[in-house]
Amino acid sequence: MIARVQASSTSWESQYQSVQGRAGTELTRLAKFAIWCSVASLLFLSQIAINIGDFPASTDLFCYLALSVYLLGSGFAALEVSIAVLWLAIATVGSSRIVYSAEPTSWSSLFLLLCLYAPFSVRLAHREKMERVSEYVQSTFILLVAVIAAIAVLQLLAVNIFKASGLTNIAFILPDEIRGAGTYSFFRESGGIVKANGFFLRESATLSILTAIGFLLEYHSRRRLFLIVLLLGGLLSSISGSGILIVIVAFLVPTSLRKAPLFVAALVVLFALLAYGSEIPGLSLWLDRLSELDSRGSSGYARFVAPLQMLERSVEKGSAAIWLGNGSGSYLRTVAALQLKYEINDPTWAKLIYEYGVAGFCVVVALFAGRLYSSRLRPEICNAVLYAWISAGNILKPDFVLLVWMLSLVHKDRRSLVPANLRDQPRQRC
């Protein structure tokens, strides 16, 4: 069920220009400017925010909501009412769990969830040659994340060789009034090396994830060697396994049955590397981190082991907590209340199950995956993005959600977005 936002032909003409002598459409300067501002905000301005209590209203969040409203108001986008109703149902159940939960909860966490995912019910309406919009969004992101990658390589050298500590993270020089609230690892060190974060990004893991996605987009499109090398340089500068795993998922997870043998062969090679790779020069820096899974207080333990312990605690609370969760914002607040002496990360899978239950987890993942796999993105990239979202703490990060929303704006099956009364009419170019 799709509700179209009607607009006049004049409004449509404000979004696109006619291209004389050839078929298709091109984005206007205003549309291109909106795309550039949105992508730049998630890469360079994500740490700048207006803090309303413990709710960081970040720059990229404002750009995200403003672009959504702009697309709807201009008639450029269509509202999928069925998706919006499902999010409304999640809001209703989430509100009831906050009221009746015995755990420390947060209305701001639920509000942020709805603000970030309500625009997922907004999609570009059908126009001829809409793939150009998707290509422009991807090319803009690839270019700007390559700039971040270049900054990260220079940062790695400047901080570790020239001891330029002022270049560690922009968060250390931002005034408190505009620095986004929240607890993040702005400074990480591994093997005596300070990890790069691209200066503008919060953490090295964020740099790793974004450069990995940028690399995959470029590899599956134009394959410009300079940009691929630059993006891989930024990925390695993060000294984080997050992006490496994303790339592995993209290349190894089969998207068809004929790719299954390659998947099995790659798994054999991967297991061999895990078993004997520490003897290969250069790989020990990465493979030695597997020992973190047994060490409390380490990054690996916080990401993969400690969340399972939190879910075990939730199961002990009964069927209501299992199926409907403990309430929005309860995951990290409960961690703080327990006063543990080691860190517990909040990956999407654990946070959703703990706060919204098995039912909420299934619905939210289905909505996210449905949006992703129905877009024009290649299946390999969809696999990688889904893994990045569900395995890391990206569910309430405006920068990551904005990126996924923009990359999935154009529907793969666009005919379903055309009103029945217009399908039999001759196509018009605007």
Side-chain angles (χ1 to χ4, degrees):
M1 178 180 180
I2 298 176
R4 282 294 299 256
V5 180
Q6 299 295 335
S8 64
S9 59
T10 303
S11 178
W12 275 107
E13 289 173 1
S14 68
Q15 309 304 319
Y16 285 93
Q17 296 172 334
S18 297
V19 181
Q20 299 295 334
R22 59 186 176 92
T25 55
E26 288 185 355
L27 288 165
T28 63
R29 291 182 179 179
L30 180 59
K32 291 180 179 179
F33 178 74
I35 292 173
W36 274 80
C37 286
S38 298
V39 176
S41 69
L42 70 92
L43 291 173
F44 298 97
L45 306 175
S46 60
Q47 298 201 66
I48 299 176
I50 300 174
N51 297 311
I52 307 172
D54 59 350
F55 179 81
S58 56
T59 307
D60 47 5
L61 177 61
F62 283 120
C63 287
Y64 179 28
L65 298 179
L67 182 57
S68 303
V69 173
Y70 168 72
L71 292 178
L72 278 175
S74 65
F76 190 24
L79 178 66
E80 297 177 314
V81 177
S82 58
I83 303 299
V85 169
L86 285 175
W87 283 111
L88 183 60
I90 293 173
T92 303
V93 176
S95 300
S96 66
R97 291 303 296 158
I98 289 179
V99 174
Y100 296 106
S101 177
E103 298 282 319
T105 56
S106 170
W107 285 101
S108 62
S109 178
L110 178 61
F111 178 68
L112 180 57
L113 178 76
L114 297 177
C115 284
L116 289 178
Y117 292 94
F120 271 52
S121 59
V122 175
R123 210 143 203 184
L124 295 187
H126 171 73
R127 299 295 291 177
E128 200 171 322
K129 299 293 183 181
M130 286 300 295
E131 64 273 8
R132 293 187 180 182
V133 179
S134 179
E135 292 169 359
Y136 189 81
V137 171
Q138 292 183 28
S139 63
T140 302
F141 172 72
I142 291 170
L143 180 61
L144 291 182
V145 81
V147 174
I148 285 287
I151 294 173
V153 173
L154 296 176
Q155 180 193 35
L156 186 70
L157 298 175
V159 173
N160 290 283
I161 297 178
F162 301 104
K163 308 302 179 183
S165 58
L167 300 178
T168 304
N169 198 307
I170 193 176
F172 295 132
I173 62 176
L174 283 176
D176 293 339
E177 293 78 10
I178 62 172
R179 185 173 61 237
T183 303
Y184 300 96
S185 301
F186 297 111
F187 175 89
R188 281 197 180 274
E189 188 175 356
S190 177
I193 300 176
V194 178
K195 299 181 179 182
N197 51 45
F199 186 66
F200 295 98
L201 302 174
R202 286 190 177 94
E203 299 176 309
S204 56
T206 307
L207 170 67
S208 182
I209 291 171
L210 293 178
T211 50
I213 295 175
F215 162 74
L216 292 173
L217 290 172
E218 180 63 24
Y219 178 83
H220 287 291
S221 56
R222 300 177 65 180
R223 296 192 180 184
R224 291 165 288 188
L225 182 60
F226 173 73
L227 286 178
I228 287 178
V229 171
L230 190 56
L231 290 167
L232 288 177
L235 173 60
L236 297 178
S237 296
S238 69
I239 316 181
S240 170
S242 300
I244 301 294
L245 291 174
I246 290 172
V247 173
I248 291 175
V249 168
F251 283 107
L252 293 191
V253 175
T255 55
S256 63
L257 288 177
R258 63 184 180 86
K259 294 183 179 180
L262 177 63
F263 174 66
V264 175
L267 284 181
V268 173
V269 174
L270 181 60
F271 285 129
L273 283 176
L274 292 176
Y276 306 104
S278 58
E279 301 176 4
I280 302 176
L283 286 183
S284 59
L285 181 63
W286 306 88
L287 297 179
D288 287 350
R289 296 195 63 189
L290 292 176
S291 62
E292 293 181 358
L293 298 177
D294 299 320
S295 176
R296 286 190 176 186
S298 67
S299 175
Y301 190 91
R303 292 174 184 272
F304 301 105
V305 180
L308 288 173
Q309 298 173 349
M310 289 295 294
L311 294 187
E312 290 175 1
R313 183 179 185 275
S314 180
V315 169
E316 295 173 356
K317 290 183 173 294
S319 58
I322 294 174
W323 291 104
L324 299 178
N326 295 283
S328 300
S330 59
Y331 186 89
L332 289 180
R333 285 167 176 78
T334 301
V335 170
L338 293 175
Q339 296 183 340
L340 300 173
K341 295 182 178 180
Y342 56 90
E343 179 185 1
I344 296 181
N345 207 335
D346 59 336
T348 295
W349 61 270
K351 183 178 178 67
L352 279 177
I353 295 175
Y354 191 90
E355 297 184 1
Y356 299 94
V358 174
F361 170 82
C362 293
V363 173
V364 174
V365 171
L367 288 173
F368 185 89
R371 163 85 178 202
L372 193 60
Y373 285 91
S374 63
S375 71
R376 292 187 61 85
L377 289 173
R378 291 178 60 97
E380 298 89 346
I381 297 177
C382 292
N383 291 339
V385 171
L386 179 61
Y387 168 78
W389 177 75
I390 205 168
S391 64
N394 287 320
I395 184 172
L396 293 184
K397 289 187 177 179
D399 50 358
F400 187 84
V401 178
L402 169 59
L403 173 62
V404 175
W405 180 78
M406 293 187 68
L407 291 177
S408 60
L409 267 175
V410 180
H411 202 288
K412 178 168 53 179
D413 183 15
R414 292 162 296 161
R415 182 173 173 80
S416 62
L417 292 176
V418 184
N421 62 335
L422 296 181
R423 288 177 184 168
D424 297 328
Q425 295 182 11
R427 289 184 177 181
Q428 298 179 354
R429 297 174 185 172
C430 53

